Amino acid sequence: MTEPNQVAGVLAPDGRAVLPDGDRAAPGPQESPWDIEAIRAQFPILSREVHGRPLVYLDNAASSQQPHRVLSRVERYLREQHANVHRGAHQLSAEATEAYEDARRAVAAHVGATNPAEIVFTRGTTEAVNLVASSWGGAFVSPGDEILLTKMEHHSNLVPWQLLAGRTGCVLRFVDVTPEGTLDLEDFDRLLARQPRLVAFTHVSNSLGTINPVREIVARAHAAGALTLVDGAQAAPHLLSDVSRIGCDFYAFSGHKMCGPTGVGALWARRELLEEMPPYQGGGEMISEVRLEGSSWAKPPHKFEAGTPNISGVVGFGEAARFLAELGAEAIESHEAALKRYALERLGDIDGLRLYGPRQERTSVFSFTYGDVHPHDLSTILDQWGIAIRAGHHCNQPLMGHYGISGTARASFYLYNSTDEIDALCDGLALAAEVFGGIS
């Protein structure tokens, strides 16, 4: 029988959400201006209905929605500026190139990168991790070397390293996860003593909502002689993710989770590492000179951007970064902290609901099981009431196995969600309980 009311999350005495490394979010929206209706009005999809009911979109950890200004910027590029970038001498190519590189500057600023040339555009977090595993890993990892991961990694930060292990004979090791949903830092130190070549870990768990203490982990890894890669897919949209403050060597993130288009993301890496790494793919744009006998490479980041890029996606990504910058990271964190407090209170009143994740340092991702109801059945019923959640293993099958389950339901909130939508979720869960004749 599922344990009732097992709910995570606490707040500091001043009512602010506890963040990693002792930081705290700004006061909640009730203490600072946040016009939720004005915010929501900027997202056209939020005005639609699903099955005759207002859409309640709570699947933001999978993909967020896009505001008018991002959609309009992409449309303006396609209507007025579309051309290939970097090599054209005509006006349209010059405008497309400026739009593309202006997006690089905006995305760099979003993660606190002082040098835009340290931003490599990719198809998303997945390709960014694959780039590091293939390029850096192929060049600098040898048989017997160890790569240290964690048991809470998304498949995107696991499978590329498995492929590298198959190619090179390196060994993968995994930091354990506590029953509360945090990394076991004692186990981490034990594995660090083995002197791994790289520590790759998630900033925020996409299933548990856990905010890992990134600066502490990076500092310990560097002290042990390891490089660090941080999967920032779930952090970059929600937290002030400053790579210079974190101190990592690689940081990967996606546009579609932070109000941008799908199919575009970025890898930030220290310039000296990008200089040392061989190309990821070959073709146009990434070369300096091509001869029949061999070729030389362009300087980073272009060395890693072979072929015609996803120009419209990058332009939209840049506009999304500017949109978030204008809202302000502290204001976004503050609003989400209030949602988190309210969701914890409401979900905590539901008998038979078990919420997975830590009691501190979490984001507004809520994975849960509800009695014996299968997550897919729960999601299907909620969908009939216009409520969109995610159900399944969330590309976290090893983590699900760690908890002895096949999957969870997951509701994830973002800057345009409201407490009314949390109420709608809880009402939907009550209706689901009626459909299944009660929860046990």
Side-chain angles (χ1 to χ4, degrees), residues 67-222:
H68 281 290
R69 61 182 284 178
V70 171
L71 299 172
S72 297
R73 182 64 188 94
V74 172
E75 182 180 17
R76 181 163 73 88
Y77 162 77
L78 292 172
R79 287 181 176 276
E80 301 176 12
Q81 298 175 308
H82 176 62
N84 217 324
V85 293
H86 294 136
R87 296 178 297 278
H90 55 84
Q91 180 65 26
L92 285 183
S93 181
E95 291 181 11
T97 298
E98 176 56 28
Y100 186 86
E101 294 302 330
D102 188 48
R104 196 189 306 274
R105 291 186 285 271
V107 170
H110 183 76
V111 292
T114 57
N115 183 358
E118 294 178 326
I119 289 289
V120 176
F121 285 124
T122 65
R123 289 180 295 139
T125 303
T126 299
E127 188 180 33
V129 176
N130 274 275
L131 190 163
V132 178
S134 296
S135 177
W136 177 86
F140 299 107
V141 174
S142 302
D145 284 348
E146 295 192 1
I147 305 292
L148 183 52
L149 309 171
T150 83
K151 291 183 180 179
M152 67 170 60
E153 296 312 309
H154 188 282
H155 296 167
S156 294
N157 197 30
L158 172 57
V159 177
W161 305 111
Q162 292 175 336
L163 294 173
L164 178 66
R167 293 193 301 268
T168 67
C170 70
V171 178
L172 306 184
R173 304 211 181 265
F174 302 92
V175 180
D176 205 356
V177 175
T178 69
E180 293 76 26
T182 60
L183 291 180
D184 185 336
L185 295 183
E186 289 186 4
D187 189 45
F188 176 54
D189 286 338
R190 181 181 64 80
L191 292 170
L192 271 185
R194 301 179 62 91
Q195 297 184 311
R197 293 282 285 132
L198 176 79
V199 176
F201 67 100
T202 185
H203 191 160
V204 171
S205 168
N206 74 308
S207 290
L208 302 176
T210 308
I211 305 175
N212 286 316
V214 285
R215 285 195 296 165
E216 179 182 352
I217 292 172
V218 167
R220 292 190 194 186
H222 284 169

Side-chain angles (χ1 to χ4, degrees), residues 268-347:
W268 172 85
R270 290 194 289 111
R271 178 74 183 201
E272 56 268 33
L273 290 172
L274 294 176
E275 294 280 5
E276 294 172 352
M277 290 161 54
Y280 171 52
Q281 296 176 325
E285 179 64 22
M286 50 74 66
I287 52 85
S288 174
E289 182 181 2
V290 175
R291 305 172 304 282
L292 293 179
E293 300 77 19
S295 301
S296 57
W297 316 129
K299 293 182 179 181
H302 305 295
K303 180 170 68 171
F304 300 100
E305 295 179 358
T308 298
N310 179 6
I311 306 170
S312 61
V314 167
V315 169
F317 190 14
E319 190 64 25
R322 286 186 285 270
F323 170 70
L324 295 180
E326 291 175 18
L327 288 179
E330 288 189 352
I332 294 170
E333 289 180 18
S334 173
H335 175 67
E336 291 190 25
L339 292 177
K340 185 168 50 179
R341 290 193 293 270
Y342 190 73
L344 287 167
E345 178 184 346
R346 287 299 320 272
L347 293 172

Side-chain angles (χ1 to χ4, degrees), residues 43 60-67 70 103 106-111 125 232-239 241 251-262 264-266 316-325 332 414-416:
F43 291 83
N60 296 285
S63 192
S64 62
Q65 299 298 340
Q66 299 175 51
V70 171
V107 170
H110 183 76
V111 292
T125 303
Q234 296 295 334
H238 305 279
L239 306 176
S241 302
Y251 196 90
F253 55 109
S254 298
H256 71 99
K257 297 182 191 296
M258 45 182 281
C259 300
T262 56
V264 63
F317 190 14
E319 190 64 25
R322 286 186 285 270
F323 170 70
L324 295 180
I332 294 170
Y414 200 20
L415 57 91
Y416 39 67

